[in-house]
Amino acid sequence: MSDERLGRKMSESTIIDMKQINKGYMLGTEKVPVLKNVDFRVEKGEFVAILGPSGSGKTTLMNIIGCMDVADSGEYYLDEQPIHCMTEKQMGIVRNKEIGFIFQNYQLIPTYDILQNIIMPLVVRGMTTKEAEKRCMPVIEMLGIGHRLGHKPSELSGGQKQRASIARALVGEPALLLADEPTGALDSASGRDVLALFRQLHGLGNTIVMITHDLNVAKAAGRIVHIIDGCLA
């Protein structure tokens, strides 16, 4: 479905364009609003932090950005694609191709070794294991985890597991890196290393949206957006 048919024109440099996003959840017989008329825009190549305390709505906003949930109302365009018009299956395709996820708890499969975890998104797309391994090696070397590929996640430090998670997010060459509290499970030194890596990836042209409750972590981004009680400030 084209933007013209929808009566909307977007900048070619815009990757996230949200207009009047509302989302609520049922609590008993009452619907409790979580996001309220959210307008949010991210340009390609930006590094943006969404900063807010627990219960502010930042996780719900992240889930909508990541095509893991849908808004009750409003419009959401991701790289000119009208997410709000899509079926669940269409959103799954977008999620797999356009977004690289980096989670606080890494989401690595414990029975797979690190290489198997990293290549998984490419194998899901239909690439052979050999092709996927070849494509992944430049990212693996850049992140400095080439010597840990045959190990299981339980054998890695928190910082190494997060590097593996970042590698997995990068190998599919997504339009957007979406990071949820990426330093939340790390010690201070490992957290600083991961944030330095994010700044490096941003310098290489990657678009990053990072969700955090920590102002010191948010300061690594080029722009900070505050969310309070479901509203962006």
Side-chain angles (χ1 to χ4, degrees):
M1 189 178 295
S2 70
D3 292 334
E4 289 78 9
R5 281 183 58 193
L6 290 164
R8 185 167 182 76
K9 186 176 181 180
M10 289 179 57
S11 165
E12 290 183 359
S13 66
T14 302
I15 187 164
I16 292 174
D17 189 13
M18 290 181 154
K19 289 290 186 183
Q20 296 293 291
I21 294 293
N22 288 276
K23 181 68 178 180
Y25 296 102
M26 295 301 298
L27 185 61
T29 58
E30 182 181 357
K31 191 164 192 176
V32 178
V34 178
L35 298 178
K36 307 164 188 173
N37 298 319
V38 168
D39 291 338
F40 182 50
R41 190 173 182 132
V42 176
E43 303 301 316
K44 291 179 181 177
E46 272 199 288
F47 182 5
V48 179
I50 299 175
L51 176 66
S54 178
S56 61
K58 64 182 185 297
T59 299
T60 298
L61 180 58
M62 180 200 71
N63 288 340
I64 293 174
I65 292 171
C67 300
M68 295 181 286
D69 200 357
V70 293
D72 294 333
S73 63
E75 297 181 359
Y76 172 30
Y77 293 83
L78 177 63
D79 206 10
E80 302 188 6
Q81 300 174 82
I83 305 301
H84 55 283
C85 296
M86 290 186 178
T87 65
E88 187 173 337
K89 182 178 180 180
Q90 290 170 327
M91 286 173 60
I93 293 170
V94 171
R95 191 165 58 238
N96 180 259
K97 290 186 176 181
E98 303 289 348
I99 305 171
F101 293 94
I102 301 163
F103 297 101
Q104 176 179 344
N105 59 357
Y106 322 120
Q107 297 282 22
L108 299 172
I109 299 174
T111 55
Y112 285 13
D113 65 29
I114 294 304
L115 180 57
Q116 289 171 320
N117 270 282
I118 291 172
I119 68 173
M120 184 175 59
L122 300 181
V123 173
V124 168
R125 293 186 191 180
M127 199 174 286
T128 67
T129 299
K130 190 172 183 179
E131 290 172 332
E133 289 177 0
K134 182 178 179 180
R135 180 165 167 177
C136 289
M137 289 316 297
V139 171
I140 288 168
E141 294 303 324
M142 180 183 73
L143 294 175
I145 53 174
H147 63 299
R148 307 297 280 168
L149 296 182
H151 293 259
K152 298 290 176 62
S154 61
E155 300 174 295
L156 272 63
S157 68
Q160 289 170 334
K161 283 188 274 195
Q162 194 58 290
R163 284 176 177 265
S165 174
I166 293 168
R168 181 184 57 193
L170 284 171
V171 293
E173 300 179 352
L176 171 68
L177 290 175
L178 184 58
D180 178 23
E181 301 280 5
T183 65
L186 304 177
D187 59 48
S188 297
S190 297
R192 287 193 296 271
D193 288 344
V194 166
L195 291 177
L197 179 57
F198 273 40
R199 287 191 289 268
Q200 179 185 351
L201 294 172
H202 176 230
L204 292 172
N206 289 279
T207 305
I208 305 171
V209 173
M210 179 173 64
I211 315 296
T212 184
H213 70 280
D214 189 330
L215 178 58
N216 289 324
V217 171
K219 286 178 178 177
R223 177 164 64 101
I224 299 175
V225 176
H226 295 263
I227 184 167
I228 302 171
D229 295 332
C231 299
L232 289 190

